[in-house]
Amino acid sequence: MRTRTRIGLRGLASAIVLALAGVLLGYLCFRSAIVEALPSNAPVLAQLAPHDPGVVLDNAATALVQRHGILDPATLAAVRRAALAAPLDARAFLVLGHQQLLDRRPDRAVTTLEAGQRLDPRDRVIHLLLLDRYLRTGRYADAAAQFSVSARLGEAGGPIAAAMAQMSLAPETRDAVRRTLGTDPALERAVLVALARSNAAPATLFALASPTARREAGGTEGWGPALIDRLVAQGHYAEARAVWQKVYGLSDAQVAAPLFDPGFAELPGSPPFNWALTAGMVGAADIRNGTLAIDYYGRDSGELASQLLVLPPGAWRFEFTVEGSKTAAGPSLSWSLQCASGNKAEMMNALVAATGMRHREAANFTVPAGCAAQRLALSGNAGEFPTPMNVTIRDLVLRPAAGER
């Protein structure tokens, strides 16, 4: 009887052990399935599988960015264990390679990072770290290869260009950046645009740019307009105008004129110091045969043409010729002049009256002290009943008033 009891107890214990093993095996299978099915950064995985290599490496890579590259010893130890468990995961090489840089083992770090890049050629942070090391050690061909890969991945205008822009400002990598950019014009343009949008001094861009890049600076998407717009937005109007002159190769006489291209000859140069013309819901402004042709729809108010001026304080006179069919009362066109900064006080508002005959109009105004730049704009003003207006404007003159010459 006792023997049967002992056998029964052993059988029961074995059954319980097998049951527990089955439950544990089922949980492990479930956890494995969840780990495979969910992305490694899914919050639930931090609870279900905190020591899973994918979870550990994903958390470490995120912390690497959030903590500016400084990881605690426990995290680094977890990464080393994860690297042994997942030897084909590039994130382990990224974290450990970066730590080797911090530990002043650059040669070992480059070897580690290069191994990580072979596993994941698309990792942007590895790209940046290797690029920096290649430039600092004079490996220009390798740096150029990093650029080429970045361009194929469509990253030249993003993180890579921004990083290179910063490297171009550092004395230890400035010359290396210039030599490397000379291998790829597209990358050079991307870096120069990134610099133009930063707080880099204009002289830095002109010194970095190759002769080809300087010739192409004035393109619509070029670094010239980006630099000019940034300086204007910062209120550095005189500096912006000097850069504008240099980018477009304008003469001193052209730049010294109070109004640029008053005869609508379509001279080279980007807005805001040249004419900015509108074509949209308000209407359309076009330069045709030395005139400014205006098609104003009369439904909405808005600007049709504008230019930024840098007039010194004093009294001025603005003149223009108008030609167009006579229009009924309602919508109208007018030239206005406002300070570009500060309280943006209006100094002039001159009606563009279409009388059916060509005639000359004029308006006097005064630029006050402290108004470093002024915005001249031609606007349409909607009336009660929409009436289209077709007007031609020519022969603009802006000069000091009689007593100010």
Side-chain angles (χ1 to χ4, degrees):
M1 188 70 174
R2 290 179 181 176
T3 303
R4 291 181 180 177
T5 301
R6 285 196 296 271
I7 294 174
L9 291 174
R10 285 199 299 269
L12 179 60
S14 298
I16 292 173
V17 170
L18 289 174
L20 291 175
V23 171
L24 179 60
L25 180 60
Y27 170 72
L28 292 175
C29 291
F30 167 76
R31 189 180 71 171
S32 177
I34 290 295
V35 170
E36 291 295 327
L38 294 177
S40 58
N41 59 356
V44 68
L45 290 186
Q47 298 178 353
L48 285 176
H51 302 298
D52 179 81
V55 174
V56 170
L57 294 176
D58 189 78
N59 291 338
T62 302
L64 189 72
V65 177
Q66 294 177 343
R67 301 176 192 174
H68 305 288
I70 307 300
L71 299 180
D72 58 87
T75 300
L76 290 171
V79 169
R80 292 187 179 97
R81 290 192 296 271
L84 294 174
L88 299 182
D89 195 315
R91 291 172 296 183
F93 293 85
L94 164 62
V95 175
L96 297 177
H98 184 269
Q99 187 61 38
Q100 288 162 352
L101 287 174
L102 295 180
D103 293 340
R104 301 184 182 278
R105 293 189 291 164
D107 293 341
R108 180 62 180 166
V110 168
T111 300
T112 302
L113 292 170
E114 287 176 339
Q117 189 170 69
R118 286 192 292 271
L119 293 171
D120 184 3
R122 302 179 68 89
D123 191 293
R124 294 180 177 182
V125 181
I126 292 180
H127 270 296
L128 294 177
L129 293 174
L130 284 175
L131 184 58
D132 178 70
R133 292 311 310 168
Y134 292 157
L135 290 173
R136 290 177 186 275
T137 54
R139 294 173 59 177
Y140 306 121
D142 291 328
Q146 291 291 325
F147 272 126
S148 298
V149 172
S150 300
R152 289 196 296 272
L153 295 176
E155 298 172 356
I160 297 294
M164 281 302 298
Q166 292 303 312
M167 292 177 193
S168 71
L169 301 177
E172 62 270 23
T173 53
R174 183 184 302 134
D175 291 339
V177 168
R178 182 183 296 109
R179 292 168 66 175
T180 304
L181 291 181
T183 66
D184 194 321
L187 291 169
E188 182 183 27
R189 285 192 295 271
V191 170
L192 288 171
V193 169
L195 270 178
R197 292 171 178 166
S198 71
N199 285 322
T204 300
L205 278 85
F206 284 105
L208 181 64
S210 65
T212 300
R214 286 195 292 270
R215 287 194 300 270
E216 298 175 350
T220 304
E221 302 295 329
W223 58 270
L227 176 59
I228 294 163
D229 289 345
R230 189 250 293 178
L231 293 172
V232 168
Q234 294 174 334
H236 304 318
Y237 302 113
E239 187 176 23
R241 197 169 176 87
V243 169
W244 177 70
Q245 176 181 8
K246 191 171 183 178
V247 166
Y248 294 100
L250 302 171
S251 68
D252 292 340
Q254 288 175 315
V255 175
L259 183 64
F260 188 74
D261 197 12
F264 302 108
E266 298 188 85
L267 298 178
S270 67
F273 298 111
N274 199 352
W275 293 110
L277 306 178
T278 297
M281 297 296 293
V282 174
D286 296 296
I287 293 178
R288 303 174 191 166
N289 301 320
T291 68
L292 180 62
I294 302 297
D295 294 319
Y296 175 47
Y297 306 144
R299 295 187 297 267
D300 303 302
S301 298
E303 289 187 1
L304 294 162
S306 65
Q307 185 179 139
L308 189 67
L309 313 178
V310 286
L311 304 175
W316 293 84
R317 183 174 178 83
F318 179 59
E319 301 176 3
F320 55 96
T321 297
V322 184
E323 184 177 4
S325 57
K326 187 175 182 179
T327 56
S332 63
L333 295 169
S334 62
W335 286 104
S336 64
L337 190 75
Q338 292 179 302
C339 278
S341 58
N343 60 7
K344 299 186 178 181
E346 186 173 80
M347 293 167 277
M348 180 192 76
N349 193 297
L351 185 66
V352 179
T355 63
M357 298 180 62
R358 181 184 297 186
H359 64 285
R360 195 80 172 155
E361 298 278 0
N364 294 324
F365 62 91
T366 300
V367 175
C371 180
Q374 310 81 34
R375 197 164 185 276
L376 177 68
L378 176 69
S379 300
N381 312 294
E384 184 176 358
F385 301 103
T387 305
M389 294 182 66
N390 300 107
V391 172
T392 299
I393 301 173
R394 68 177 77 228
D395 302 327
L396 273 58
V397 172
L398 180 58
R399 56 178 175 80
E404 298 290 328
R405 294 185 180 181

